[in-house]
């Protein structure tokens, strides 16, 4: 059992963010600071690592003709973190956008989302697999430690439900009800999404699981051996929830993730809360 942040932190100061991550989290992660602007957001950070050139277009991210100079931001961050964290981390979590969200949010030159073209979807998945391999290798070499891969899939619900909008109101994008096979290509990873799907390790918020169907799904996942990273709450509530599911707490593989915050002070408190909850559940 461990505790960790999901990546994003408020502000633009990498040094202060790094201090919080290392000081308050048993499993540190690479800090993401989207407030720094273009290229520091969820899609931009991952897109900069792809061999496929991606740039910002009128409506969002799109396939471009050449890479932006902003792709060097990750290297600069790693240089600075390498100095700050030298010899202090045993494992390090890296975050990338997953293939479904990436393909849903990036447009091809014709204006259609990459997810609508099987060839483009395959290409962006392959590019992401290679980017993950190279990025993790770079981080492991720099810090002399193993890495944990987190895939962020904020658009997965819309992908699965067929709620993605096309180029016009009449252009529908078919639903993808079973996204697991493509995700499994990435091997062991933490899946950060709001959807309950069959995954070996994923984030969940037990407080939002209210329907009988959701609870049954969670129970089945735990019984199959899934590892769940849960949102912070009182340990006794977690035990009570597992009791409702008729799950032996000893059989549940649990971690705790820290909620996002508006300020670094609140972020530090949230990371501390997650760590203390993990200790309480141990």
């Amino acid at each position: 059992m461990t505790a960790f942040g999901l990546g994003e932190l408020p502000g633009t100061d990498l040094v202060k963010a790094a201090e919080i991550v290392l000081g308050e989290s048993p499993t540190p992660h690479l800090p993401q600071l989207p407030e720094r602007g273009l290229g520091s957001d969820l899609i931009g950070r991952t897109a900069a690592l792809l061999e496929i050139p991606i740039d910002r277009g009128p409506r969002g991210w799109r396939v471009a003709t050449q890479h932006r100079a902003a792709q060097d931001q990750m290297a600069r961050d790693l240089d600075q973190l390498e100095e700050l964290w030298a010899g202090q981390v045993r494992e390090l979590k890296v975050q990338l956008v997953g293939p479904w969200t990436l393909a849903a949010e990036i447009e091809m030159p014709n204006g259609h989302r990459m997810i609508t073209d099987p060839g483009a979807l395959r290409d962006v998945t392959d590019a992401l697999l290679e980017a993950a391999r190279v990025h993790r290798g770079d981080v492991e070499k720099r810090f002399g430690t193993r890495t944990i891969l987190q895939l962020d899939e904020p658009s997965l619900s819309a992908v699965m439900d067929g709620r993605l909008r096309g180029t016009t109101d009449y252009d529908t994008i078919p639903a993808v009800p079973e996204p697991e096979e493509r995700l499994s290509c990435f091997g062991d990873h933490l899946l950060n999404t709001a959807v309950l799907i069959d995954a070996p390790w994923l984030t969940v918020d037990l407080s939002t699981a209210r329907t009988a169907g959701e609870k049954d799904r969670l129970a089945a996942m735990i019984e199959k051996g899934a590892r769940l990273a849960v949102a912070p709450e009182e340990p006794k509530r977690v035990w009570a929830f597992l009791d409702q599911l008729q799950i032996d707490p000893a059989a549940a593989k649990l971690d705790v993730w820290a909620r996002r915050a508006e300020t670094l002070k609140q972020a530090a408190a949230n990371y501390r809360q997650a760590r203390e909850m993990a200790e309480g559940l141990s």
Side-chain angles (χ1 to χ4, degrees):
M1 178 179 294
T2 188
F4 43 74
L6 295 180
E8 289 190 6
L9 285 155
T12 60
D13 192 325
L14 181 63
V15 174
K16 291 181 179 179
E19 289 176 353
I20 291 172
V21 170
L22 188 63
E24 299 292 352
S25 180
T27 300
H29 63 83
L30 297 185
Q32 299 170 203
L33 303 173
E35 291 179 27
R36 291 192 297 191
L38 186 65
S40 296
D41 63 296
L42 199 65
I43 302 296
R45 280 174 57 88
T46 298
L49 299 175
L50 302 179
E51 292 184 356
I52 301 172
I54 307 296
D55 201 352
R56 191 71 180 176
R59 295 185 300 181
W61 293 98
R62 65 180 179 183
V63 176
T65 56
Q66 60 184 2
H67 277 293
R68 290 173 49 88
Q71 65 181 315
D72 296 332
Q73 180 67 61
M74 178 70 79
R76 292 194 295 269
D77 283 357
L78 290 176
D79 287 343
Q80 194 168 9
L81 290 171
E82 191 176 359
E83 293 182 11
L84 294 169
W85 289 351
Q88 299 183 71
V89 293
R90 290 179 296 178
E91 62 180 4
L92 191 55
K93 182 164 65 66
V94 302
Q95 302 85 220
L96 297 175
V97 174
W100 291 111
T101 294
L102 203 60
E105 298 300 327
I106 297 176
E107 294 181 352
M108 297 180 289
N110 62 9
H112 292 277
R113 300 176 191 261
M114 296 188 79
I115 197 172
T116 63
D117 184 293
L121 177 58
R122 181 179 61 251
D123 289 346
V124 77
T125 300
D126 289 345
L128 182 58
L129 281 165
E130 178 63 10
R133 184 190 68 81
V134 173
H135 180 48
R136 295 180 72 180
D138 181 27
V139 172
E140 289 170 357
K141 182 178 179 180
R142 285 171 178 268
F143 294 92
T145 185
R146 66 181 290 267
T147 57
I148 298 169
L149 175 63
Q150 173 182 312
L151 291 180
D152 294 320
E153 285 282 10
S155 299
L156 189 57
S157 176
V159 168
M160 294 177 65
D161 295 342
R163 290 185 284 107
L164 287 176
R165 296 185 61 183
T167 53
T168 69
D169 291 338
Y170 304 100
D171 180 19
T172 59
I173 298 176
V176 182
E178 298 179 352
E180 290 90 349
E181 183 176 355
R182 188 169 300 275
L183 291 168
S184 69
C185 296
F186 291 82
D188 294 336
H189 65 272
L190 168 64
L191 179 62
N192 177 29
T193 184
V195 186
L196 290 178
I197 68 169
D198 288 330
W201 189 17
L202 76 164
T203 57
V204 298
D205 187 343
L206 299 181
S207 66
T208 65
R210 298 186 177 91
T211 69
E214 290 171 332
K215 292 178 180 179
D216 289 345
R217 187 72 180 269
L218 277 171
M221 292 166 62
I222 295 173
E223 289 174 346
K224 288 175 62 177
R227 181 177 174 184
L228 303 182
V230 301
E233 56 182 297
E234 289 291 330
K236 62 182 180 181
R237 293 186 178 180
V238 177
W239 303 139
F241 186 85
L242 292 176
D243 187 58
Q244 288 181 33
L245 302 183
Q246 297 183 330
I247 294 291
D248 180 358
K253 302 174 184 177
L254 301 177
D255 300 303
V256 186
W257 53 268
R259 294 189 184 277
R260 292 183 175 87
E262 296 296 323
T263 66
L264 284 176
K265 182 178 180 180
Q266 184 59 53
N270 289 358
Y271 275 61
R272 193 176 308 117
Q273 179 191 28
R275 172 172 53 80
E276 291 173 350
M277 177 181 167
E279 292 170 352
L281 291 173
S282 297

